[in-house]
Amino acid sequence: MRIVVLAGGVGGSRFLLGLRHAVPQAEITVVGNTADDITLFGLRICPDLDTIMYTLGGGIDEQQGWGRAGETFTLREEFAAYGVEPQWFSLGDRDLATHVVRTQMLGAGFPLSQVTEALCARWQPGVRLLPMTDDRVETHIVIASDGDQRRALHFQEWWVRLHAEPEALDIVPVGADEAKPGAGVLEAIDAADLVLLPPSNPVVSIGTILAVPGIREALVETMAPVVGLSPIIGGAPVRGMADKTLAAIGVPATADEVALYYGADLLDGWLVDTRDAASVPTVEAAGIRCREIPLLMTSVSSTAEMALAALGLAAEVER
Amino acid sequence: MRIVVLAGGVGGSRFLLGLRHAVPQAEITVVGNTADDITLFGLRICPDLDTIMYTLGGGIDEQQGWGRAGETFTLREEFAAYGVEPQWFSLGDRDLATHVVRTQMLGAGFPLSQVTEALCARWQPGVRLLPMTDDRVETHIVIASDGDQRRALHFQEWWVRLHAEPEALDIVPVGADEAKPGAGVLEAIDAADLVLLPPSNPVVSIGTILAVPGIREALVETMAPVVGLSPIIGGAPVRGMADKTLAAIGVPATADEVALYYGADLLDGWLVDTRDAASVPTVEAAGIRCREIPLLMTSVSSTAEMALAALGLAAEVER
């Protein structure tokens, strides 16, 4: 079975751990979000790709869900001593080595897809990890500035430095309109038996992947079932600040509204948490098959259960 | 008093410590060798400039004379895990932070002279540190290859990886012929009351500085006395492998031959070690004032004595 998974960082990675556990024989291709990427200290950082790679490769800091286990922070200390900015983005030494290797390869002319493949040769994540695009796309957040002014800042600055506190007036995946799907992405969707949308952020993770021209179209057109899992549980995001990003694009943070935002042309099936059972009729009325199950990814085995439920729903909706 | 010092790495730095101690009120400008520089992992590394900066700024590993005190090696471990080369060049985490900051600034378009000034703002070396050039110059070593073939390799590969074992058939400062003196270098020589050549490697440190068109000429023309200290003591280099680099360019490794290699047009005074007293007449016969004193830089105070002897000799030869 060939499964394509669109994934952000922490949520996507945890879901993938469960999926890999549930169907160890499946060929899993992950289309990773790269719109969180940022260049700091001259180094190209791909937080979502790395979180997936480290999580599935056994190198993640399991407590926080991102960054490396056994991390040290000598370079951060040195950067501060040199007074170079930014100091709000925590870069560990082990993680930094990944960025140095990546930046060197990108500088030598390799596309991000080949760089990611080279990095994965070490981590052996057990999935094929494809960047959503080899082009540069960076999510910017529009916030209010003095008076009637607005200004845009990089997603990471809003998320990490400002803790998503200034209201996001708009969210713009800069560069997405001119980006092409990454090497292998359309081919993987075309060959897939099943496409899954894990409970990643629907706006700045899955949403930016879908913003790359050609990817959403391929998902609409594929004969394979497309099944998603709600990132909103009991009317609130389980982790992260998905509600704030949904508000920015005018989507209420409910399990049904996220499904409608993805669209009935895209989604064939949708899983909501048992606490959101009231959402089921709305989603079904839109023409998306919907089921309620416990959606908390509290362990690999509970997540594997979720993955199996998604596979079950996919079998039901087989086009 | 304005003193210009041409300097390589470890030897030059130790001499500068003594000089600064001997004449704390002097305005010291250091013209640093950049021909040892190398780009590894996409990062621009300037070993001699950094050794000077760390030594005079109190950040050096005093035991080995280069690298940072309290160094850690997390990134080296990670690079090895990724299988990226080279692994023969030991890069510590603290040192690496310097290279990351430098590379970012160079990438943003700043010349090496401004980057060096920015890095020195942290280290406060108490001297003005100027790269010999803002252009790229890299020393390559020609060695024998299969049969009658020759091949050239970067100085660092020959020195660090091969321990200078393959015989150096020639030494070529690649790029030197097209390089221009670094920002401020000619002005500093022009304004100097005294120019000193510490006991650095006469070929790959001082020699490459002199290979930048305009620098040697400025030293020949300056009215200020130019005084050097022999890096050869008792017919052997004190440290490093200066004899091997001298052999490559056909200069015998003796205290007098190094003086003659620099030339009587350049040098006004030359200090040799007491063990090389026999060299004095030859040097003097060439028209270079020569004195014998103990030349071992065993401590800051003994090095300060050497620096004072150089100042004394300079006063004797005042043009």
Side-chain angles (χ1 to χ4, degrees):
Chain A
M1 182 167 46
R2 284 163 297 192
I3 306 177
V4 167
V5 181
L6 273 54
V10 180
S13 299
R14 290 201 172 148
F15 180 77
L16 285 164
L17 275 183
L19 177 66
R20 207 180 50 176
H21 187 77
V23 283
Q25 301 307 321
E27 261 181 49
I28 302 171
T29 299
V30 179
V31 178
N33 172 44
T34 60
D36 287 11
D37 295 5
I38 189 167
T39 299
L40 296 175
F41 309 108
L43 303 173
R44 191 68 182 157
I45 302 170
C46 301
D48 283 1
L49 295 181
D50 288 349
T51 297
I52 293 168
M53 189 170 77
Y54 297 156
T55 302
L56 299 183
I60 202 79
D61 179 325
E62 293 189 8
Q63 285 293 310
Q64 61 184 13
W66 52 271
R68 294 285 307 280
E71 189 56 288
T72 57
F73 294 90
T74 307
L75 276 97
R76 183 175 68 180
E77 199 180 305
E78 291 290 323
F79 291 154
Y82 277 117
V84 293
E85 297 289 343
Q87 289 166 27
W88 51 262
F89 196 91
S90 178
L91 274 179
D93 299 331
R94 294 189 187 282
D95 190 32
L96 226 144
T98 301
H99 311 323
V100 170
V101 175
R102 173 188 293 121
T103 303
Q104 183 182 14
M105 287 191 73
L106 290 171
F110 292 96
L112 183 61
S113 49
Q114 286 184 36
V115 174
T116 304
E117 190 180 350
L119 295 172
C120 284
R122 168 183 177 190
W123 292 103
Q124 297 289 322
V127 302
R128 188 160 167 241
L129 178 58
L130 305 179
M132 69 187 202
T133 179
D134 280 322
D135 300 317
R136 186 155 170 167
V137 178
E138 291 189 0
T139 299
H140 278 64
I141 306 290
V142 179
I143 62 171
S145 186
D146 298 337
D148 289 344
Q149 303 297 306
R150 293 172 162 219
R151 69 186 186 92
L153 67 177
H154 192 287
F155 169 74
Q156 296 292 355
E157 189 175 357
W158 179 70
W159 191 258
V160 178
R161 184 166 83 85
L162 302 176
H163 309 291
E165 276 160 17
E167 184 189 358
L169 304 173
D170 200 1
I171 295 181
V172 186
V174 178
D177 49 351
E178 304 213 342
K180 291 177 293 300
V185 169
L186 295 185
E187 294 78 356
I189 294 172
D190 191 53
D193 299 308
L194 167 64
V195 178
L196 295 177
L197 274 53
S200 292
N201 185 307
V203 185
V204 294
S205 297
I206 309 285
T208 50
I209 300 173
L210 297 175
V212 176
I215 295 186
R216 188 177 202 289
E217 293 74 0
L219 294 172
V220 168
E221 283 164 23
T222 178
M223 296 302 291
V226 178
V227 173
L229 296 92
S230 174
I232 303 292
I233 295 187
V238 176
R239 189 193 160 92
M241 295 161 274
D243 49 340
K244 301 203 176 191
T245 55
L246 284 165
I249 59 164
V251 175
T254 62
D256 48 343
E257 290 286 355
V258 173
L260 301 179
Y261 156 69
Y262 283 142
D265 56 341
L266 180 82
L267 280 183
D268 300 298
W270 187 243
L271 290 174
V272 300
D273 187 71
T274 44
R275 271 164 282 186
D276 299 299
S279 294
V280 175
T282 321
V283 178
E284 293 246 322
I288 302 165
R289 193 75 61 89
C290 189
R291 294 284 175 269
E292 42 148 324
I293 60 159
L295 279 190
L296 279 181
M297 300 191 285
T298 47
S299 67
V300 173
S301 58
S302 67
T303 310
E305 290 296 322
M306 288 165 52
L308 289 173
L311 266 61
L313 184 54
E316 273 188 59
V317 296
E318 205 82 55
R319 291 179 195 180
Chain B
M1 182 167 46
R2 283 162 298 191
I3 306 177
V4 166
V5 181
L6 273 55
V10 180
S13 299
R14 290 200 171 150
F15 179 76
L16 285 164
L17 274 183
L19 178 66
R20 207 179 52 176
H21 187 76
V23 284
Q25 301 308 322
E27 261 180 48
I28 302 171
T29 300
V30 178
V31 179
N33 172 43
T34 60
D36 286 12
D37 295 6
I38 189 167
T39 299
L40 296 176
F41 309 109
L43 303 173
R44 190 68 182 158
I45 302 170
C46 302
D48 284 1
L49 295 182
D50 288 350
T51 297
I52 293 168
M53 189 171 76
Y54 297 156
T55 302
L56 299 183
I60 202 79
D61 180 325
E62 294 188 7
Q63 285 292 310
Q64 62 184 12
W66 52 271
R68 294 285 308 280
E71 191 55 289
T72 57
F73 294 91
T74 307
L75 276 96
R76 182 174 69 180
E77 197 180 307
E78 291 291 322
F79 290 154
Y82 276 118
V84 293
E85 298 290 342
Q87 289 166 26
W88 50 262
F89 196 90
S90 176
L91 274 178
D93 299 330
R94 295 189 186 284
D95 190 31
L96 226 144
T98 301
H99 311 322
V100 170
V101 175
R102 171 188 295 122
T103 303
Q104 184 182 14
M105 288 191 72
L106 290 171
F110 292 96
L112 183 61
S113 48
Q114 286 184 35
V115 175
T116 304
E117 190 180 347
L119 296 172
C120 283
R122 168 184 177 189
W123 293 103
Q124 297 289 324
V127 302
R128 188 158 167 241
L129 178 57
L130 305 179
M132 69 187 202
T133 180
D134 280 323
D135 300 317
R136 185 155 172 167
V137 178
E138 292 190 359
T139 299
H140 278 65
I141 307 290
V142 179
I143 63 171
S145 185
D146 297 337
D148 290 342
Q149 302 297 307
R150 293 173 160 217
R151 69 185 185 94
L153 67 176
H154 192 286
F155 170 74
Q156 296 292 356
E157 189 174 359
W158 179 70
W159 192 258
V160 178
R161 184 166 82 86
L162 303 176
H163 311 290
E165 276 159 17
E167 184 189 358
L169 304 172
D170 199 1
I171 295 181
V172 186
V174 178
D177 49 350
E178 305 214 341
K180 290 176 295 299
V185 169
L186 295 185
E187 294 78 357
I189 293 172
D190 191 52
D193 300 309
L194 167 63
V195 177
L196 295 177
L197 274 52
S200 292
N201 186 307
V203 185
V204 296
S205 296
I206 309 285
T208 50
I209 300 174
L210 297 175
V212 176
I215 295 185
R216 189 177 201 290
E217 293 74 2
L219 294 172
V220 168
E221 283 164 22
T222 179
M223 295 303 291
V226 177
V227 172
L229 296 91
S230 174
I232 303 292
I233 295 186
V238 176
R239 191 193 157 92
M241 295 160 276
D243 50 340
K244 300 202 175 191
T245 56
L246 283 165
I249 59 163
V251 175
T254 62
D256 48 343
E257 290 286 356
V258 173
L260 300 179
Y261 157 68
Y262 283 141
D265 56 341
L266 180 81
L267 280 182
D268 301 298
W270 187 244
L271 290 174
V272 300
D273 187 71
T274 44
R275 271 164 283 185
D276 299 300
S279 294
V280 176
T282 321
V283 177
E284 293 248 322
I288 303 166
R289 194 74 62 88
C290 189
R291 296 283 175 271
E292 42 148 325
I293 60 159
L295 280 190
L296 278 181
M297 300 192 285
T298 47
S299 67
V300 173
S301 59
S302 67
T303 309
E305 290 296 321
M306 288 166 52
L308 288 173
L311 266 62
L313 184 55
E316 273 189 59
V317 298
E318 204 81 55
R319 291 178 192 179

